[in-house]
Amino acid sequence: KSGLDPGGAWHAWGMACLKAGNLTSAREKFNRCLKPPMDLNQLNHGSRLVQDVVQYLESTVKSVVITDDDYFATLRELEATLRTRSLSLEMMCEGKIQHNSYYQECLFYLHSYGTNLSIISFYMRHDCMREALLHLLNKESPSEVFIEGIFIPSYESGKLHMLENLLETIDPGLESWGVYLIAACKYLQRKNYYHILYELQQFMKDHVRAAMTCIRFFTHGAKSYTELGGKQMWLLKIKDHLKVYLQEVSRSSGRKKITFTFRKKMSATDVSRHINTVDLQMEVTKFLHQCESSGASQMTDSSLPTLFGNNNMKMDVACKVILEGKNVEEGFGIAFRVLQDFQLEATEVYSKVAKQLVKQRKYSEIQQLLKCVNESGVAAKNDGDNIILNCLHEFKNIPAEDLDNLIQDMDSDENKIQAYVLCNKLRSAYLVSVRQDKARAVQLVQHVWQLAESSGDHVVKAICAQWL
């Protein structure tokens, strides 16, 4: 008559029936106020009213267990009581029929008015993981429900192995679980739970992704190659995963084609290339670890480059290997292999090394670098000259004698003139210019004359003018 919503009254009446033990009457009352959710896969446990009903029923079961006069139970009965707690609801022992009926009542309300997550969470609370998994599969629930309802509770309670065993029991090939397992991996990666991720990837036999996780274990947080030297076991694990993957690919290619939809695929060529990268990284790690241990290391970069990064990082590795040895020649062989294997821009790396050597005032090492580059057999005609030209921007810091020695080591007279001009040594530029063919010499001397005029070098200007 007053137009108020009767839902609250029906709910209170239903709760009163429950407390009185009249389950049938309670169902009838709740039917008038409870409604099923619009979306069964929403990530919550349904309406507060349904949760209250289930909560009360569960608490009733617990109180019955506590007040039950089991003190004088025989050992056999006690063992049966404990054992049946972890079994499915239908298998509860005869002495606990009342418990069973209350649990079945919970399931009635959850199936009628709850979400898939609420049903799965109920099963998980009562150690019925198999039922939770089967419900997930039957309802084709999205991966978020699996993460929230099954996966997180499993690893938080230390039951990840139990979960893995059940997944394998239900589907030995794991294909039914592919979407859920990939979602779990992404979740773990977002959370930075890499040890659990690695364990899960091994269970999934997803060897390529497991190898990628091992790369992170190897590189993450290391501040020096001494630290990386102590983490080389991860490099061996990477190789093991990739080799196992190659074996599986070669085995399956001979038989009927098997499609592993959720495991990461990679061509045999790419896998072999990655194995070579690991071998080379092991060599780099041993070399740089030895350099740091012997105190030969000169560089103090905050970043620690490895061959698992992009091309710029790989170039940094090549530079580091050349610079950190006792001399340039010691690390040049490994650096050269890095440049060749990854087809990196060699001249850019050599120029970077030369600039570092200028900063370290190791001018004779620059000449040693040029010797190594020329003897490598793949250097272009002007590579050596370009390396010197690139490091002459620091010419003000280079002593005159060392500067002259570097420029004298250049092959091309044109490059020598360019170098002398760059270093404001106009008289030396003039002397090389006049040794060229007459037509070219005139052009070069005119250029030097113009530079002398603009810089106010009257002596060189007069010499040029007289020659011209």
Side-chain angles (χ1 to χ4, degrees):
K1 287 180 181 178
S2 60
L4 295 173
D5 178 20
W10 284 116
H11 185 261
W13 197 351
M15 289 301 290
C17 292
L18 277 187
K19 288 170 185 176
N22 191 343
L23 302 182
T24 310
S25 185
R27 284 190 185 192
E28 184 193 329
K29 305 300 180 284
F30 285 128
N31 186 43
R32 295 174 180 271
C33 62
L34 298 179
K35 292 184 177 63
M38 297 290 287
D39 177 13
L40 290 173
N41 288 318
Q42 60 196 43
L43 286 180
N44 59 46
H45 292 271
S47 73
R48 183 69 253 176
L49 300 180
V50 177
Q51 292 178 54
D52 288 344
V53 172
V54 172
Q55 206 172 339
Y56 173 76
L57 287 167
E58 285 181 302
S59 66
T60 305
V61 174
K62 283 174 189 166
S63 64
V64 169
V65 171
I66 292 164
T67 57
D68 236 3
D69 189 14
D70 280 345
Y71 300 116
F72 300 105
T74 62
L75 285 173
R76 188 180 298 170
E77 286 169 337
L78 184 59
E79 188 184 350
T81 304
L82 291 170
R83 189 174 66 247
T84 53
R85 296 261 173 90
S86 62
L87 296 178
S88 62
L89 304 177
E90 290 74 23
M91 295 174 67
M92 288 204 169
C93 64
E94 212 171 299
K96 303 293 179 187
I97 292 293
Q98 192 179 6
H99 307 181
N100 191 12
S101 65
Y102 273 94
Y103 278 135
Q104 292 298 339
E105 204 63 19
C106 286
L107 284 171
F108 167 77
Y109 286 106
L110 288 170
H111 279 287
S112 302
Y113 309 110
T115 60
N116 285 326
L117 180 59
S118 65
I119 297 165
I120 285 167
S121 297
F122 174 81
Y123 282 134
M124 291 296 288
R125 277 200 302 281
H126 300 287
D127 296 323
C128 301
M129 194 185 287
R130 181 185 173 84
E131 284 75 9
L133 288 167
L134 291 173
H135 182 85
L136 181 88
L137 268 190
N138 292 337
K139 300 297 179 182
E140 297 180 351
S141 293
S143 51
E144 291 82 5
V145 174
F146 170 74
I147 301 291
E148 196 73 30
I150 299 175
F151 187 70
I152 294 175
S154 294
Y155 78 72
E156 284 183 347
S157 59
K159 293 178 180 174
L160 190 57
H161 283 299
M162 187 192 294
L163 172 62
E164 290 172 349
N165 289 337
L166 278 170
L167 293 174
E168 211 163 25
T169 305
I170 295 168
D171 179 3
L174 300 179
E175 285 301 318
S176 313
W177 308 113
V179 175
Y180 300 118
L181 289 169
I182 292 296
C185 288
K186 287 178 180 173
Y187 167 81
L188 292 170
Q189 200 165 358
R190 280 198 308 275
K191 289 284 187 180
N192 290 327
Y193 296 162
Y194 284 95
H195 288 281
I196 304 174
L197 172 65
Y198 182 52
E199 187 183 329
L200 189 63
Q201 286 167 336
Q202 289 179 93
F203 162 72
M204 292 161 64
K205 296 183 176 60
D206 195 347
H207 294 291
V208 175
R209 287 194 179 97
M212 290 160 74
T213 304
C214 290
I215 290 173
R216 189 193 184 274
F217 285 137
F218 175 71
T219 56
H220 185 69
K223 296 285 189 293
S224 68
Y225 261 89
T226 303
E227 284 182 49
L228 287 184
K231 297 168 83 174
Q232 289 188 78
M233 60 168 185
W234 290 113
L235 294 176
L236 296 172
K237 285 183 186 287
I238 297 167
K239 277 183 74 172
D240 288 343
H241 283 299
L242 294 176
K243 283 178 178 176
V244 170
Y245 177 78
L246 274 182
Q247 288 166 2
E248 287 184 356
V249 167
S250 61
R251 273 204 303 269
S252 62
S253 62
R255 297 175 302 183
K256 186 182 173 185
K257 194 164 184 183
I258 304 168
T259 54
F260 297 113
T261 50
F262 64 91
R263 296 180 181 97
K264 189 168 178 64
K265 295 181 182 66
M266 193 178 278
S267 70
T269 312
D270 282 345
V271 173
S272 300
R273 190 163 46 79
H274 286 306
I275 290 172
N276 289 337
T277 300
V278 173
D279 286 334
L280 196 49
Q281 180 63 54
M282 287 178 87
E283 206 171 329
V284 166
T285 305
K286 283 173 188 169
F287 177 78
L288 290 176
H289 181 198
Q290 194 178 343
C291 291
E292 288 180 3
S293 302
S294 66
S297 174
Q298 298 290 326
M299 294 180 75
T300 54
D301 285 348
S302 56
S303 61
L304 193 66
T306 69
L307 298 178
F308 299 118
N310 57 24
N311 278 356
N312 285 336
M313 191 181 272
K314 292 183 179 93
M315 288 164 84
D316 288 344
V317 170
C319 290
K320 195 172 177 69
V321 168
I322 296 174
L323 288 164
E324 295 216 2
K326 288 194 288 286
N327 52 51
V328 162
E329 196 172 5
E330 189 184 24
F332 187 84
I334 298 173
F336 183 72
R337 279 178 53 206
V338 170
L339 297 173
Q340 290 292 296
D341 281 13
F342 298 106
Q343 299 179 335
L344 303 173
E345 189 54 58
T347 312
E348 192 179 329
V349 170
Y350 299 144
S351 297
K352 202 171 175 183
V353 169
K355 285 176 184 175
Q356 280 291 333
L357 291 171
V358 168
K359 285 181 183 174
Q360 295 171 14
R361 300 182 179 181
K362 295 182 175 180
Y363 309 112
S364 61
E365 289 290 300
I366 298 175
Q367 292 170 310
Q368 184 66 51
L369 174 67
L370 295 173
K371 181 172 176 284
C372 291
V373 170
N374 290 328
E375 289 174 357
S376 69
V378 294
K381 186 180 177 185
N382 279 328
D383 276 1
D385 288 5
N386 288 333
I387 292 165
I388 294 172
L389 282 170
N390 281 328
C391 71
L392 288 182
H393 293 286
E394 306 287 333
F395 75 90
K396 288 176 184 172
N397 302 323
I398 305 173
E401 189 182 342
D402 292 304
L403 189 58
D404 279 333
N405 288 339
L406 283 174
I407 296 174
Q408 286 299 324
D409 279 346
M410 296 175 87
D411 294 323
S412 157
D413 280 350
E414 294 269 350
N415 288 333
K416 283 180 184 175
I417 294 163
Q418 190 183 338
Y420 283 128
V421 167
L422 188 65
C423 301
N424 292 331
K425 289 178 168 285
L426 297 181
R427 183 184 174 83
S428 299
Y430 162 78
L431 291 171
V432 179
S433 297
V434 296
R435 294 205 303 262
Q436 309 310 305
D437 294 337
K438 193 149 193 178
R440 181 63 181 145
V442 169
Q443 291 175 340
L444 292 168
V445 173
Q446 279 177 336
H447 181 56
V448 173
W449 178 81
Q450 286 169 352
L451 291 169
E453 185 178 39
S454 61
S455 65
D457 191 337
H458 300 298
V459 177
V460 175
K461 182 185 171 186
I463 296 170
C464 292
Q466 187 181 351
W467 187 87
L468 287 167

